[in-house]
Amino acid sequence: MNPFKFGTIVDGDFFTDRTDETTLLTQKLDSENHLVLISPRRFGKSSLVQRVLSHSSRPQILLDLQYVMSVSDFAAQMLKALFRLYPMERLRHAMTHFRISPTLSMDAVTGALEVNFQPTANATVLLEDAMALLDKVTSATDRFIVVIDEFQEVMKIGKGFDRQLRSLMQRQKNLNYILLGSQESMMEAIFENKKSPFYHFGQIIRLGKIPYDDFLAYIRNRMPNDVPSVPEEILEISSCHPYYTQQLASQVWEMVTYRHLTDGVVQQAVDALVRMHDLDYERLWQTLNRTDRYTLRQLSQMQQPLRDRSQATSTTYSSLLRLMKLGYVVKTDHYEIEDPFFLRWLRLNSN
Ligand SMILES: Nc1ncnc2c1ncn2[C@@H]1O[C@H](COP(=O)(O)OP(=O)(O)OP(=O)(O)O)[C@@H](O)[C@H]1O
Ligand SMILES: [Mg+2]
């Protein structure tokens, strides 16, 4: 079986490093503090949190704001998560404060539970009741961990939702929140801007790439012995980005194992991945305006766009901000294209 995995949460044999982060998260969960975990996309936030949670016997709730459509949907999803953890009998007693009763239905085949409210129900009331229920069931001896993924979406769910949520969370005791987000600029605006309701809500932890030596050992242990220089070549291209490293390693492993390629196999794997994504990259390219295309092209040729004088610095700067928000560009000590295969596609197509 292919020993490399990408795209979904990784655990067990597919998971490497993150020992310091695991310790830090575990320790923080032993306190009354909340945590905020920020990184660019696909750096391994969900995998890390999942790993920490799998070693904890505390009750856990996971919500992904990407899939929350409205304030009442947030309340419904919170209730659904609670119903999954506790028998109905126990919760019914804790729900006497509810001003609007939800309707529960169960799919007889899958056993999946649905929570519904009357469409006209006041969303604020639903939210307050659901959060109060969470507050009732969590206790000093059975402290909940509530993970909210893609937290930057909080701004899109409803007007004033962030403020409402913050004031309800503030009153809760005996639980920890872990809030995850990948759009760094938005997460920073939510947690580091003094005017934001979530200012100083919890300790911010920034997740970086996986350290070179560790990733090298990880790849070396899983690659056949007849391609000794391959692990270094992979990391040279992926720059230790967790997702792209696993993706490239997986492709190389297949080519070595099934097609017995050795010489130049990393380059061939890169070419294959660029070809595989050709249509996606082309579609993406078509969505961009001319300024953003120009900025990307410059970055693909290893030039820093802000040094370029052929267009106004403010124009270039707003283009970079836009591209970073979309996740195509990341800033380390300089600006770079996030996806190493898109970078190569750009070079191939820059006539
Ligand atoms: N600790 C790790 N060891 C090895 N590979 C990892 C690790 N963490 C992440 N990866 C790789 O990165 C991929 C993305 O991980 P994950 O989904 O946890 O990231 P994320 O930051 O939650 O992503 P998203 O921004 O899409 O929510 C995984 O499928 C895996 O290939
Ligand atoms: Mg994730």
Side-chain angles (χ1 to χ4, degrees):
M1 221 175 87
N2 195 320
F4 301 99
K5 185 177 170 188
F6 59 95
T8 48
I9 285 173
V10 285
D11 199 5
D13 250 6
F14 296 106
F15 188 96
T16 181
D17 191 66
R18 305 296 195 207
T19 39
D20 293 349
E21 292 90 345
T22 306
T23 311
L24 182 65
L25 254 75
T26 310
Q27 284 169 356
K28 293 289 163 195
L29 288 175
D30 249 340
S31 72
E32 280 294 315
N33 298 310
H34 303 304
L35 291 169
V36 178
L37 190 56
I38 306 179
S39 82
R41 295 230 59 181
R42 301 190 280 202
F43 261 42
K45 296 175 296 300
S46 300
S47 300
L48 172 64
V49 169
Q50 196 89 331
R51 189 175 180 84
V52 171
L53 294 188
S54 69
H55 290 108
S56 163
S57 55
R58 291 168 55 185
Q60 299 160 9
I61 287 185
L62 292 143
L63 297 176
D64 187 334
L65 290 194
Q66 234 180 153
Y67 306 113
V68 170
M69 299 304 149
S70 60
V71 179
S72 50
D73 191 29
F74 182 92
Q77 294 204 29
M78 176 65 80
L79 291 184
K80 220 159 98 174
L82 287 167
F83 287 132
R84 255 189 241 124
L85 284 172
Y86 290 110
M88 187 67 74
E89 277 318 304
R90 174 165 173 197
L91 284 184
R92 199 167 349 176
H93 293 299
M95 285 172 73
T96 45
H97 66 277
F98 269 53
R99 288 161 288 176
I100 302 169
S101 292
T103 322
L104 307 185
S105 55
M106 189 195 275
D107 186 314
V109 179
T110 62
L113 190 73
E114 278 310 320
V115 176
N116 285 299
F117 299 109
Q118 278 172 0
T120 52
N122 181 319
T124 304
V125 172
L126 302 176
L127 178 68
E128 287 171 359
D129 286 355
M131 292 292 273
L133 179 62
L134 170 63
D135 206 19
K136 274 190 180 179
V137 292
T138 189
S139 67
T141 50
D142 216 12
R143 299 172 62 237
F144 269 66
I145 300 174
V146 182
V147 181
I148 310 186
D149 212 339
E150 303 295 349
F151 193 78
Q152 71 279 350
E153 299 280 321
V154 75
M155 307 307 285
K156 294 189 196 153
I157 289 172
K159 196 167 181 296
F161 176 59
D162 57 338
R163 209 160 281 281
Q164 276 173 354
L165 193 62
R166 171 72 170 101
S167 84
L168 293 167
M169 285 170 153
Q170 197 164 13
R171 280 181 243 147
Q172 292 172 322
K173 286 193 297 289
N174 296 321
L175 83 174
N176 300 101
Y177 279 100
I178 308 180
L179 309 179
L180 318 184
S182 50
Q183 284 185 22
E184 289 163 286
S185 56
M186 287 179 78
M187 288 294 278
E188 279 158 12
I190 294 170
F191 294 101
E192 291 178 343
N193 182 341
K194 280 192 180 148
K195 294 206 179 98
S196 160
F198 279 93
Y199 178 63
H200 279 184
F201 177 74
Q203 175 163 354
I204 296 181
I205 299 175
R206 287 192 159 76
L207 197 60
K209 291 176 177 176
I210 290 174
Y212 185 89
D213 290 344
D214 193 281
F215 232 168
L216 190 67
Y218 174 90
I219 303 169
R220 193 166 279 149
N221 287 337
R222 286 160 179 78
M223 240 355 132
N225 290 331
D226 49 348
V227 284
S229 62
V230 151
E232 280 94 347
E233 289 172 38
I234 289 175
L235 290 177
E236 170 75 32
I237 287 168
S238 71
S239 324
C240 293
H241 187 297
Y243 174 89
Y244 296 118
T245 305
Q246 292 255 29
Q247 185 180 32
L248 181 55
S250 165
Q251 183 69 29
V252 170
W253 186 90
E254 273 183 19
M255 290 175 138
V256 174
T257 309
Y258 302 130
R259 289 166 53 196
H260 309 290
L261 299 175
T262 49
D263 293 341
V265 64
V266 175
Q267 190 52 50
Q268 292 188 62
V270 171
D271 293 346
L273 287 168
V274 174
R275 269 197 311 276
M276 254 178 243
H277 293 123
D278 184 53
L279 195 62
D280 301 329
Y281 294 147
E282 201 177 311
R283 282 207 192 108
L284 185 167
W285 186 249
Q286 280 164 5
T287 65
L288 301 172
N289 65 33
R290 296 189 76 78
T291 315
D292 294 351
R293 289 181 184 181
Y294 182 72
T295 306
L296 282 173
R297 183 149 291 170
Q298 280 211 306
L299 283 172
S300 76
Q301 287 154 7
M302 298 300 170
Q303 287 164 24
Q304 286 299 299
L306 284 172
R307 294 213 195 101
D308 178 73
R309 291 283 166 250
S310 64
Q311 88 187 349
T313 312
S314 60
T315 309
T316 309
Y317 190 67
S318 42
S319 165
L320 284 167
L321 283 183
R322 217 164 27 239
L323 292 166
M324 283 199 289
K325 210 168 161 192
L326 291 166
Y328 305 144
V329 169
V330 284
K331 192 176 175 203
T332 47
D333 51 344
H334 58 282
Y335 294 99
E336 57 184 302
I337 291 171
E338 191 255 358
D339 175 347
F341 310 115
F342 183 42
L343 167 74
R344 279 156 183 86
W345 182 88
L346 285 167
R347 285 187 191 153
L348 269 179
N349 290 287
S350 65
N351 35 34

